[in-house]
Amino acid sequence: MLSYEEMMLLQTAQRGYLEQLEDMLCKKENIDYNYYMKIGIYNALERKHYINIYDDPFYINFCECVINDLVSLAKNEKIDSNIHYLSSGKFTDSFKIGNKIITFGNAKDDKNIINYSMPLVPNFIKNFKDINFRVSVANLVDTKNITANDTYQVWKQLYEEGYYWADPRNNNIGRLVLENTHGYQNISDLGKEFLGIPNTPNLKNTKINDLVIFDHDYIYNKNNIPTYIKEQFKEANNFEKRYMEEKNEKISSIIR
């Protein structure tokens, strides 16, 4: 017989209410944290990505294997091995396990990730294009004390590299806790294709405390921005206006 508290946890998990579930679990002691969080994750995946937990368990089993590996890694490193909810976007849900971040989202082509200098490079990616689903694992980043100016400086660096970051929010960037390294140098082309990494990333921001972007959605070539993007994301427009004003002031000071 479940207690009232256990029933409330189970109901919250089964509804896929991840933020509420994390808040509830953090207030409990001697609770099987990961048991409830896994239920929450899988129900959220079913609702957001239409993955049927019971009729077609392949994708859930895959996620279970990746999660269990990260939990085991954290236990071996003698650090917190509980699954902690971090954030959700329109297409993504992210979680912390030890010093790793695991993200579930829509499948996508990662070719743009190699062209700009500040992506948080995943340790692992797997795209299931048949159901438009993706699992990725990356090193943990510190998202505390990120300022609006930090976000602007990242936006500015991308802009000067020829890219337009349409969704520049503080909670889309973080400071590196571990070096931003990749393990793709010795992987075959077939292996890169399987993982979703077509080429080796060309990184500049690689050291601890460097700022990186961990949400790679809505980054476009500066000369090929969809019209609706400009209309939808106002903060990027404000950053572009600020950038142009700074550039004009710099030119004016030189002329004077």
Side-chain angles (χ1 to χ4, degrees):
M1 178 70 70
L2 295 177
S3 68
Y4 174 76
E5 287 188 343
E6 289 171 330
M7 287 189 64
M8 291 300 295
L9 283 169
L10 188 59
Q11 288 179 8
T12 304
Q14 289 173 338
R15 291 170 181 167
Y17 295 165
L18 299 170
E19 185 173 4
Q20 296 91 321
L21 182 61
E22 172 72 17
D23 185 60
M24 292 169 68
L25 288 169
C26 284
K27 297 174 182 176
K28 308 293 181 187
E29 294 182 359
N30 301 318
I31 197 79
D32 191 342
Y33 209 106
N34 289 350
Y35 169 76
Y36 291 103
M37 189 56 76
K38 283 181 181 180
I39 295 173
I41 290 171
Y42 302 149
N43 279 277
L45 293 183
E46 184 175 39
R47 187 183 71 249
K48 185 174 285 188
H49 298 284
Y50 307 105
I51 298 173
N52 193 300
I53 297 174
Y54 304 106
D55 292 347
D56 188 4
F58 170 81
Y59 303 103
I60 296 300
N61 289 341
F62 180 87
C63 295
E64 177 87 3
C65 288
V66 178
I67 289 171
N68 288 345
D69 279 351
L70 296 180
V71 170
S72 295
L73 178 63
K75 286 181 178 178
N76 290 339
E77 294 176 347
K78 294 181 170 51
I79 56 179
D80 182 11
S81 60
N82 286 334
I83 306 165
H84 294 282
Y85 169 76
L86 289 179
S87 63
S88 292
K90 185 176 181 181
F91 307 111
T92 60
D93 294 306
S94 295
F95 304 84
K96 171 186 173 293
I97 306 176
N99 59 13
K100 302 292 183 182
I101 299 172
I102 182 169
T103 299
F104 305 102
N106 284 4
K108 57 186 175 182
D109 188 342
D110 281 300
K111 289 181 180 178
N112 68 328
I113 208 174
I114 67 171
N115 294 326
Y116 64 91
S117 63
M118 293 172 292
L120 176 62
V121 178
N123 305 138
F124 171 82
I125 293 174
K126 176 56 182 167
N127 284 311
F128 296 99
K129 293 185 178 180
D130 53 331
I131 62 166
N132 191 27
F133 179 59
R134 160 193 174 106
V135 181
S136 67
V137 176
N139 289 338
L140 180 68
V141 294
D142 184 1
T143 58
K144 297 177 182 176
N145 303 316
I146 299 296
T147 67
N149 192 59
D150 289 332
T151 306
Y152 171 69
Q153 294 304 323
V154 171
W155 185 94
K156 178 180 176 180
Q157 186 170 332
L158 259 70
Y159 195 80
E160 291 180 342
E161 291 175 10
Y163 294 91
Y164 187 86
W165 182 23
D167 192 22
R169 291 179 289 140
N170 292 12
N171 59 358
N172 280 339
I173 66 174
R175 296 189 184 277
L176 292 173
V177 175
L178 302 171
E179 289 189 0
N180 198 23
T181 57
H182 57 80
Y184 308 128
Q185 299 98 319
N186 300 318
I187 295 178
S188 67
D189 290 341
L190 183 61
K192 290 177 184 178
E193 182 179 349
F194 176 81
L195 292 174
I197 299 293
N199 288 297
T200 300
N202 180 21
L203 298 173
K204 292 181 182 177
N205 290 32
T206 60
K207 298 177 182 177
I208 293 172
N209 290 325
D210 280 352
L211 288 166
V212 290
I213 301 172
F214 55 83
D215 185 341
H216 307 293
D217 291 330
Y218 303 114
I219 296 177
Y220 301 90
N221 185 295
K222 195 164 61 176
N223 299 318
N224 190 26
I225 308 168
T227 302
Y228 78 92
I229 290 295
K230 282 276 195 176
E231 296 171 350
Q232 183 176 348
F233 294 96
K234 302 301 182 184
E235 190 59 35
N237 293 336
N238 293 334
F239 278 174
E240 187 172 33
K241 182 179 178 182
R242 175 180 169 180
Y243 178 82
M244 293 304 176
E245 289 173 351
E246 289 177 357
K247 189 174 181 179
N248 290 335
E249 287 177 7
K250 187 175 181 179
I251 293 172
S252 298
S253 64
I254 294 172
I255 294 174
R256 288 196 298 267

